[in-house]
Amino acid sequence: MIERTLFTPDHEAFRDSFRRFMDKEIAPFHDAWEEQGYVDRKVWDKAGENGFLCMALPEEYGGAGADLLYSVIQFEELWVRGFTGIGYALHSEIVAPYILRYGTEEQKKHYLPKLASGEMIGAIAMSEPAAGSDLQGVRTTALKQPDGSYLMNGSKTFITNGWHADLVIVVAKTDPAGGAKGTSLFLVERGMPGFEKGKRLKKLGLKAQDTSELFFNDVRLPADALLGGAAQENRGFVCLMEQLPWERLQIAISAVAASQAAIDQTVAYVKDRKVFGQPVGAYQNTRYTLAELQTEVQVAQVFVDKCIELLMREKLDTATASMAKYWTTDLQCKVMDECVQLHGGYGFMWEYPITRAYADARVQRIYGGTNEIMKEVITRSMGLPGR
């Protein structure tokens, strides 16, 4: 295997620390959380207490000023263990960065320390019943009123951390006639009149991750709820596009980590499981299948690590991140399918980690922009004409 060179001894010490945290605060409870459909709030409180939330934030806002490799390690370790109910990544590396990059100083000081401590849980509301990957098709509106406030109406669906969320960044049209140039981002807090949370959605996988519908019925938002203030009004689509490379790379990172974990689990299984008097791993079909999968996952790991290096130098472009997202998640689904097959009937039993990994993998090709959208982004970067 090609040795990874991204991480320093300090990074690896953090990996060990986070593994101990998972052993104590997540592993004993995750099965029960899958049954109930959401993680307990205490796992957020514990993460905040231990400094595992919003690690990349500057210290002045409650973070550790850590580089993004610490977050990469966290993504990898959670997916290796199959702890897909834990929504730290979206909270720490999507919600908080939006506020850090685009928020006013007052918004940063008010919200970021609360996100870093776990006092507030963050979510971002993009997808709608009639607008998934098509962010330009958003119908939720936040119309400016004579007194400078905004009146928000609309609904969102498939919102990760939505049921637990204390703070939601909501994508809404401030100029419905302006298309992409009429979109803004708003900070909406739990308890605001007219803001309601729907049922927790039952899903094929990610069963411990609270995913919900959100409804906005004449929600009156003060002027300072507009993320970034007046300077960012109608610039929401630009903000979303600027952040997508990192968001999509996060999905690719998790896809590779989960794929490698599935291969490792399957290798252990086929060494032990016997069929017709021989270990399953002794059959040529098994060995060749695993050799092919390991080769492809190794290729994916090298590519994703290169993308991480580019990200650290602020040189990761949207097309490359889209390549990483689509290719690694397609590969993840292929790996899971083959590994389930090699487990035989046990691969269909929910108590086996490979079965859960199979179910968790499928959505990776959908969220963050469907893989079909990723290919569209790539072709545009190649100068190919589109519809």
Side-chain angles (χ1 to χ4, degrees), residues 92-345:
S92 298
E93 291 302 336
I94 296 180
V95 176
Y98 271 95
I99 298 174
L100 179 66
R101 181 158 184 175
Y102 304 112
T104 64
E105 189 59 30
E106 291 75 15
Q107 289 168 342
K108 295 175 189 178
K109 289 180 178 178
H110 180 70
Y111 290 113
L112 292 179
K114 294 179 181 180
L115 292 172
S117 68
E119 179 182 346
M120 278 188 147
I121 294 175
I124 187 164
M126 299 185 196
S127 296
E128 297 183 359
S133 295
D134 178 17
L135 296 178
Q136 298 186 57
V138 165
R139 296 181 181 178
T140 297
T141 59
L143 303 180
K144 199 166 189 177
Q145 305 300 297
D147 63 358
S149 66
Y150 294 84
L151 195 64
M152 178 175 285
N153 283 282
S155 64
K156 301 288 182 176
T157 193
F158 312 138
I159 307 305
T160 301
N161 295 347
W163 189 70
H164 268 315
D166 304 291
L167 175 67
V168 184
I169 297 177
V170 181
V171 181
K173 287 289 182 65
T174 37
D175 177 9
K181 295 182 179 180
T183 304
S184 301
L185 307 179
F186 288 87
L187 299 164
V188 180
E189 294 187 41
R190 175 195 293 271
M192 285 183 165
F195 172 33
E196 299 177 1
K197 298 179 179 183
K199 63 184 179 181
R200 292 189 305 276
L201 302 173
K202 295 182 179 180
K203 309 178 297 297
L204 169 67
L206 309 183
K207 291 184 179 293
Q209 184 187 98
D210 72 270
T211 308
S212 67
E213 302 168 312
L214 304 178
F215 301 97
F216 309 92
N217 301 304
D218 287 336
V219 180
R220 180 77 61 168
L221 298 172
D224 61 7
L226 175 62
L227 181 62
Q232 295 294 342
E233 189 170 41
N234 296 323
R235 292 195 73 255
F237 191 77
V238 174
C239 298
L240 294 169
M241 293 303 103
E242 289 176 349
Q243 296 302 306
L244 281 176
W246 175 217
E247 294 173 26
R248 288 170 177 165
L249 182 57
Q250 291 176 44
I251 298 172
I253 291 165
S254 63
V256 176
S259 297
Q260 186 61 60
I263 291 173
D264 293 343
Q265 292 165 14
T266 304
V267 168
Y269 178 82
V270 299
K271 285 181 178 178
D272 184 60
R273 174 70 170 168
K274 290 186 177 181
V275 176
F276 301 116
Q278 293 189 74
V280 174
Y283 291 94
Q284 186 182 76
N285 177 70
T286 302
R287 292 184 289 112
Y288 283 13
T289 296
L290 287 169
E292 292 167 5
L293 296 178
Q294 185 62 80
T295 301
E296 291 184 72
V297 171
Q298 176 67 92
V299 171
Q301 186 69 78
V302 172
F303 179 46
V304 167
D305 282 357
K306 181 61 178 180
C307 288
I308 295 170
E309 290 179 7
L310 291 171
L311 178 80
M312 300 290 286
R313 304 204 311 266
E314 298 185 354
K315 293 185 178 297
L316 180 64
D317 61 81
T318 300
T320 304
S322 298
M323 293 176 189
K325 191 271 180 183
Y326 116 71
W327 194 75
T328 58
T329 57
D330 274 5
L331 175 60
Q332 181 183 7
C333 288
K334 174 184 176 181
V335 168
M336 298 308 167
D337 187 67
E338 294 282 12
C339 288
V340 163
Q341 189 72 18
L342 290 175
H343 275 74

